[in-house]
Amino acid sequence: MVVHLFSRYHELVAQYGVLEPLAVVDLRPQSRAKVEVHFEDKVEVMNIRLDQTVGDLKKHLRTVVQLSTNNMRLYYIDQDMVNTFGPEEMRYSMRALHSFSIRDGDEIHVEPKTK
């Protein structure tokens, strides 16, 4: 059976030539995303790594928003699902960012914690 398939392959190549692939499909997960970070009146576009955790992102945002990591709340807004689900609080510091399915154009809103 295998020999038959091998010979059939060569027959087809002889008749039609070697065909180019119809599509190039890359199934690797996205490693970075360009998101808008909103804090008070400011909007900053940032290119974030999706392999980091929510806690890592908070550490990175400390300098941008001038809040300590303990005094900020992050909310993720998926541009495709905002009307259906609304913002999702990013409350678990050990959760990986890729688990939110963040894509280019999505938003992260930073709010100061109220006591």
Side-chain angles (χ1 to χ4, degrees):
M1 180 69 180
V2 174
V3 174
H4 173 67
L5 292 175
F6 187 70
S7 63
R8 179 69 176 143
Y9 171 77
H10 286 293
E11 287 174 31
L12 293 171
V13 169
Q15 186 172 356
Y16 299 107
V18 177
L19 300 177
E20 294 296 320
L22 295 176
V24 177
V25 178
D26 184 3
L27 297 176
R28 289 179 293 180
Q30 189 175 356
S31 62
R32 299 185 82 76
K34 190 177 282 190
V35 298
E36 291 182 357
V37 177
H38 294 255
F39 179 66
E40 295 176 341
D41 304 352
K42 297 176 265 180
V43 177
E44 185 166 330
V45 176
M46 297 180 71
N47 194 2
I48 60 170
R49 287 186 3 256
L50 300 178
D51 62 343
Q52 64 185 342
T53 63
V54 171
D56 295 334
L57 178 61
K58 282 184 172 185
K59 288 176 191 170
H60 184 72
L61 291 174
R62 272 191 310 212
T63 57
V64 177
V65 299
Q66 303 300 315
L67 290 174
S68 71
T69 56
N70 293 334
N71 290 331
M72 71 171 79
R73 287 197 172 158
L74 302 181
Y75 296 91
Y76 166 62
I77 298 177
D78 183 332
Q79 292 302 337
D80 296 333
M81 304 301 272
V82 68
N83 295 330
T84 308
F85 296 111
E88 178 180 358
E89 185 173 359
M90 303 170 84
R91 81 174 62 194
Y92 303 108
S93 62
M94 294 307 295
R95 185 172 172 186
L97 294 181
H98 66 80
S99 68
F100 289 94
S101 299
I102 297 174
R103 293 185 310 273
D104 290 343
D106 289 346
E107 298 177 5
I108 295 176
H109 289 250
V110 181
E111 302 278 332
K113 275 188 181 176
T114 56
K115 301 196 184 224

